[in-house]
Amino acid sequence: MRKNKRLLSNTLLSLFRGVSIRAKTIFLFSLLLFFAVSTISFLNFNNSEKMLERQTFEGLGGLVKSKADLIDHLFQHNFEVVSFLASQMKLRVLLTAFPETRLRITGKKAQIRKILNTVVDASPSLVNHIHIMDVQGEVLVSTKISEEESNFSGTPEYSKGKTDLYLSVPYFDRKQYRYSISGPVFDLNENTKTVIGILTVEFKGNKLLDILSDYTGLGETGDLVLAKRDGNDIFFLNNMRFKPGAALHWRMPFNTQNAKPIRLALSGQSGITRGLDYRDIEVLSGYRYLELLDWGLVAKIDVREAFEPMWHLLKEIILMGCFVLMVGMIGSFFFVGMITDSLRELREGVELIARGNFAYRVNIDRRDEIGQLASTFNQMAEKLDQLYTGLEENVRLKTKELENTLAKTEAQNKILIDTKTAVLNILEDLDETRRDLERQKADLEQGKRELEKANKELDNFVYTASHDLRAPLRGISSFASFIEEDYSDKLDAQGKDYLNEIRKSTTRMDELIEDLLELSKISRIKNPYENVPIADLIQEVKVRIEFDLHDHKSELIVSGEMPVIYCDRIKMTEVFFNLINNAIKFSSKIAGQTPRVEIGCRTEPEKTVFYVKDNGIGIDPQYQEQIFEIFRRLHTETEYEGTGAGLSIVKRVVDDYGGKIWVESELGKGATFWFEIPKDLKENII
């Protein structure tokens, strides 16, 4: 596809390449004019078509409404005639007076018949005849005597007319269009309203047919359609313009694709539409639902006739467009000629100047852009003449300048060579400096490795020394126990106290060694990092100190939601264990107060800050830095148990994480220990 487009484009360019500007311009102008006239004509035609369609729809809508109002008025009048006649007092008295004889007395029949004939005579063009049935359906009196004593109990006029006014389906009687309206006749008792007869009035259909056969405003193809729905069929009630025998004979399935307007009307809708009619021809239609009769009415006209004025308008638009196009082509021929003549003279002037005739000037006396171009051309020619005249002098001067420039360039080249030599020397010095830095870096790395080895050996020494110290302690403790067991009866009270002090001192020393080992282990052991939910970790610590919590009746509170941090789970557990254990220990000996420990945190962009708060004895501000030193105690063993290594362990872990720990406290007002853990911890920092 793209290849074909490229081929077409190349073909068009090759065709236009040898064509003059005048021909190209006239062609393009004509093409643009053609598109403009075509677009305007199309828009005008389209708008006129929509306007004509709207006007036709408005006319059809008004016409079908007018016809519907006439039909509603006609039948409303007929219903009123039946209601009025059925309510006549004299008629009701005569029907009530002789229920036993069933009006067989000739005189009474004559009186009733006279009343009925009066109505028929008063409306000879509307009413055909009237009869009255008794409640069993037998005709008692009729203006058509031959129908008297006939039985109509099996007809809708009888069954439906007993309860309310009933309009029958139109029918032909001796080729005359008829329809009847039936209604009940009640006795004189207004309370009971007992039906004593059924009144049926047969109306002539001439006025209805006159309304439907008046095609005024519908042109040559317009038509009026009146129909009712009979089950799944459309039953047509009038003869149509193009189907004269349709009345009361022709049916169509209700779900047919044609006859859309009458289907919409019989569906209880009113409006306008465009579609196919019963002839399978496209029409514009106005349709209306006759609610009083449950019928549908349609007024329609063929689309071809409705839009016939548009075809005359289209012919006029085409003729006008051809005229405008012709006038435009003629005008463009002369207009473009004026431009191309001037351009041709300019082209000849350019050719003369190209051959060296700088004294030539074009003679174009115009005030438009072509004139400006000619004036600019002459100015250019004047400047070219002046430039050519001074060209030799400029060449001589430029040659001399070039010689001077070459001399300067040679001097600059010599300077550049000297500079290059100096730069090379500097680069050699820099390279030697780089090698010195690399040697220093290697020495630093070696020193780092030796320092790490020394630290490791120091940790191992502390561990080994602490471990070896425990063996003599165990011996001292064992011998003290042996003396107490074997020589207890030979020792006085003071001797026993000395033995007890020996045991307590060995136990104290053992605890100090244990804490020293724990502190050494904190530095030596590297545990894997993981995402640790701090809430779960605190719950684990709570299980470990459950006895102390219960024994001291302490309350442990976690305030707010705890985060998940990436760290060494075991060492972080030791941090919370030591801080919570200290908080319980120093809050448990205040009389009348329940020990209370609160844990919380706050999250900052680069770190998480935790706190452990108690309501204990507090810490004097002058000792708040010293308490983190190893084995540093502010109270005696008899006051508070422990070795004083717990806070040192906590500080070692927090420091190794790159965080910090501090305390906020006053004597007698509890203490709050704060520590922060960075969020960007890397594996194996500690």
Side-chain angles (χ1 to χ4, degrees):
M1 185 68 180
R2 188 176 301 172
K3 185 177 180 180
N4 293 336
K5 287 183 179 179
R6 191 183 299 111
L7 181 61
L8 178 61
S9 176
N10 293 334
T11 303
L12 291 174
L13 288 175
S14 62
L15 290 175
F16 277 96
R17 191 174 289 116
V19 180
S20 65
I21 293 178
R22 174 179 290 185
K24 293 177 183 177
T25 306
I26 293 173
F27 173 77
L28 292 175
F29 181 78
S30 301
L31 188 63
L32 291 174
L33 187 61
F34 171 76
F35 280 121
V37 171
S38 300
T39 302
I40 294 172
S41 301
F42 171 76
L43 294 175
N44 188 26
F45 180 80
N46 191 43
N47 291 334
S48 300
E49 182 182 22
K50 291 180 179 178
M51 184 180 299
L52 182 60
E53 183 180 51
R54 185 170 62 252
Q55 291 174 351
T56 305
F57 274 139
E58 290 175 354
L60 288 172
L63 179 63
V64 75
K65 182 180 183 302
S66 174
K67 296 290 185 181
D69 290 343
L70 290 174
I71 294 173
D72 281 342
H73 178 74
L74 172 63
F75 280 92
Q76 187 66 42
H77 173 73
N78 294 343
F79 282 124
E80 290 174 356
V81 168
V82 176
S83 298
F84 174 77
L85 186 57
S87 64
Q88 287 298 301
M89 184 63 69
K90 188 173 182 180
L91 179 64
R92 293 164 67 191
V93 169
L94 290 171
L95 287 173
T96 307
F98 299 99
E100 300 296 335
T101 61
R102 300 177 58 79
L103 296 177
R104 299 187 189 281
I105 300 174
T106 304
K108 300 300 181 182
K109 284 187 175 184
Q111 291 181 40
I112 296 175
R113 191 179 297 114
K114 182 178 180 181
I115 296 172
L116 301 181
N117 282 327
T118 301
V119 176
V120 174
D121 294 338
S123 305
S125 63
L126 183 62
V127 179
N128 188 38
H129 69 84
I130 307 170
H131 64 254
I132 299 175
M133 293 180 283
D134 62 12
V135 293
Q136 281 76 38
E138 183 177 331
V139 177
L140 300 177
V141 181
S142 174
T143 57
K144 189 177 181 180
I145 299 176
S146 61
E147 289 188 355
E148 290 184 357
E149 299 186 4
S150 299
N151 193 296
F152 290 94
S153 60
T155 64
E157 287 83 352
Y158 166 75
S159 59
K160 296 183 178 181
K162 284 198 305 181
T163 57
D164 200 356
L165 292 176
Y166 166 71
L167 171 65
S168 71
V169 178
Y171 53 88
F172 283 112
D173 182 13
R174 298 177 184 177
K175 298 184 179 180
Q176 298 299 316
Y177 195 84
R178 301 284 186 264
Y179 57 88
S180 63
I181 299 176
S182 303
V185 180
F186 299 104
D187 63 4
L188 298 176
N189 190 338
E190 296 297 333
N191 293 325
T192 60
K193 285 191 175 183
T194 303
V195 178
I196 59 175
I198 297 95
L199 176 69
T200 301
V201 180
E202 183 181 74
F203 292 93
K204 298 177 180 179
N206 298 341
K207 286 192 175 183
L208 177 61
L209 295 179
D210 290 343
I211 294 172
L212 296 173
S213 60
D214 181 10
Y215 299 119
T216 303
L218 291 174
E220 298 295 328
T221 61
D223 206 351
L224 292 166
V225 179
L226 182 67
K228 72 181 295 294
R229 183 168 182 175
D230 186 12
N232 293 324
D233 291 338
I234 301 173
F235 184 50
F236 292 89
L237 303 178
N238 70 311
N239 290 323
M240 286 164 278
R241 198 170 197 170
F242 300 103
K243 203 167 183 65
L248 309 182
H249 291 95
W250 191 40
R251 295 173 178 268
M252 286 183 68
F254 187 79
N255 58 358
T256 183
Q257 295 299 317
N258 296 343
K260 176 184 177 182
I262 193 64
R263 285 191 289 109
L264 293 172
L266 292 175
S267 299
Q269 303 178 44
S270 298
I272 52 177
T273 187
R274 180 172 181 170
L276 300 178
D277 70 349
Y278 62 88
R279 298 171 296 153
D280 202 21
I281 293 176
E282 189 176 20
V283 295
L284 302 179
S285 306
Y287 56 90
R288 199 165 187 87
Y289 174 61
L290 305 180
E291 186 176 0
L292 179 66
L293 309 175
D294 194 26
W295 294 353
L297 178 64
V298 174
K300 61 187 180 64
I301 186 172
D302 289 1
V303 170
R304 177 182 55 79
E305 182 181 3
F307 291 153
E308 187 172 0
M310 295 303 302
W311 303 114
H312 298 294
L313 176 63
L314 181 61
K315 292 177 183 177
E316 294 175 359
I317 290 174
I318 292 173
L319 291 175
M320 182 62 70
C322 293
F323 175 75
V324 171
L325 186 62
M326 186 176 296
V327 171
M329 292 177 65
I330 294 172
S332 66
F333 178 80
F334 289 103
F335 176 74
V336 173
M338 295 169 60
I339 297 174
T340 54
D341 290 342
S342 300
L343 292 176
R344 185 175 59 255
E345 186 174 350
L346 283 170
R347 179 180 59 81
E348 293 172 355
V350 170
E351 291 175 351
L352 289 172
I353 289 177
R355 289 196 291 268
N357 186 4
F358 298 110
Y360 179 79
R361 303 291 184 269
V362 295
N363 185 20
I364 298 176
D365 186 15
R366 297 179 60 160
R367 299 181 183 275
D368 56 6
E369 288 81 356
I370 299 295
Q372 295 175 4
L373 180 60
S375 177
T376 303
F377 177 84
N378 289 333
Q379 293 175 11
M380 179 195 70
E382 181 70 25
K383 290 182 179 180
L384 284 174
D385 192 18
Q386 294 174 0
L387 290 172
Y388 183 76
T389 302
L391 181 61
E392 291 182 355
E393 180 63 21
N394 288 334
V395 169
R396 186 184 63 80
L397 293 175
K398 293 296 181 183
T399 302
K400 187 175 180 179
E401 290 179 1
L402 183 60
E403 290 174 352
N404 295 333
T405 302
L406 287 173
K408 291 180 180 179
T409 302
E410 289 177 358
Q412 290 175 353
N413 286 337
K414 184 178 180 181
I415 294 172
L416 288 174
I417 292 171
D418 295 340
T419 303
K420 179 181 178 182
T421 303
V423 170
L424 290 174
N425 293 332
I426 292 171
L427 289 176
E428 290 179 359
D429 293 340
L430 289 175
D431 188 55
E432 181 64 28
T433 302
R434 180 183 59 81
R435 287 194 291 270
D436 291 340
L437 290 174
E438 289 179 352
R439 285 193 294 270
Q440 292 176 8
K441 180 180 178 182
D443 293 340
L444 287 174
E445 290 180 352
Q446 179 64 28
K448 180 182 176 183
R449 288 193 293 271
E450 292 176 356
L451 180 60
E452 290 176 350
K453 181 179 180 182
N455 286 334
K456 185 175 181 181
E457 290 175 352
L458 180 60
D459 286 341
N460 291 334
F461 170 75
V462 171
Y463 176 78
T464 302
S466 300
H467 186 271
D468 292 343
L469 284 174
R470 301 182 79 174
L473 286 176
R474 284 194 295 272
I476 293 171
S477 179
S478 297
F479 279 113
S481 298
F482 293 157
I483 291 172
E484 185 178 14
E485 289 175 3
D486 296 340
Y487 302 97
S488 176
D489 55 342
K490 297 178 180 180
L491 293 174
D492 57 8
Q494 186 176 8
K496 292 179 180 180
D497 288 339
Y498 289 161
L499 287 176
N500 187 43
E501 288 299 324
I502 291 172
R503 279 200 304 272
K504 287 169 60 178
S505 296
T506 55
T507 302
R508 168 69 176 167
M509 190 65 183
D510 187 66
E511 290 175 352
L512 290 173
I513 293 171
E514 182 64 30
D515 288 341
L516 187 62
L517 288 173
E518 184 66 26
L519 189 61
S520 174
K521 196 182 344 177
I522 287 293
S523 298
R524 289 185 299 102
I525 297 178
K526 310 295 183 182
N527 300 308
Y529 276 29
E530 58 182 299
N531 289 318
V532 179
I534 299 301
D536 294 348
L537 186 145
I538 293 173
Q539 187 62 32
E540 293 175 8
V541 173
K542 185 178 179 181
V543 172
R544 288 175 58 183
I545 61 174
E546 186 68 31
F547 176 79
D548 291 337
L549 287 171
H550 183 268
D551 186 50
H552 297 298
K553 298 181 175 56
S554 299
E555 182 181 1
L556 179 61
I557 299 171
V558 178
S559 179
E561 185 176 352
M562 292 291 108
V564 176
I565 64 173
Y566 186 69
C567 64
D568 181 335
R569 184 186 191 99
I570 295 173
K571 294 182 180 180
M572 188 57 67
T573 301
E574 290 302 315
V575 170
F576 278 98
F577 174 79
N578 282 288
L579 289 176
I580 296 171
N581 196 37
N582 276 2
I584 295 172
K585 179 167 58 177
F586 290 104
S587 303
S588 61
K589 293 188 178 182
I590 299 178
Q593 175 179 287
T594 300
R596 185 176 185 273
V597 180
E598 179 183 345
I599 304 171
C601 73
R602 69 170 184 266
T603 300
E604 297 183 4
E606 298 180 354
K607 59 189 175 183
T608 305
V609 182
F610 295 93
Y611 68 86
V612 177
K613 180 179 180 182
D614 62 59
N615 60 348
I617 61 175
I619 302 171
D620 193 321
Q622 65 178 324
Y623 300 119
Q624 289 179 5
E625 292 293 333
Q626 301 175 19
I627 59 175
F628 295 105
E629 298 174 3
I630 187 167
F631 303 133
R632 179 68 175 181
R633 294 177 54 86
L634 302 181
H635 306 86
T636 64
E637 292 182 18
T638 57
E639 292 178 308
Y640 295 98
E641 61 183 9
T643 64
L647 291 179
S648 299
I649 293 173
V650 171
K651 189 174 189 308
R652 175 69 64 85
V653 174
V654 173
D655 288 346
D656 287 346
Y657 275 136
K660 69 175 183 177
I661 182 168
W662 69 98
V663 63
E664 296 176 356
S665 177
E666 293 182 23
L667 281 174
K669 296 184 178 181
T672 303
F673 283 84
W674 295 85
F675 65 95
E676 59 185 37
I677 303 298
K679 289 185 176 180
D680 58 347
L681 290 178
K682 298 296 187 293
E683 186 77 34
N684 294 330
I685 287 181
I686 61 175

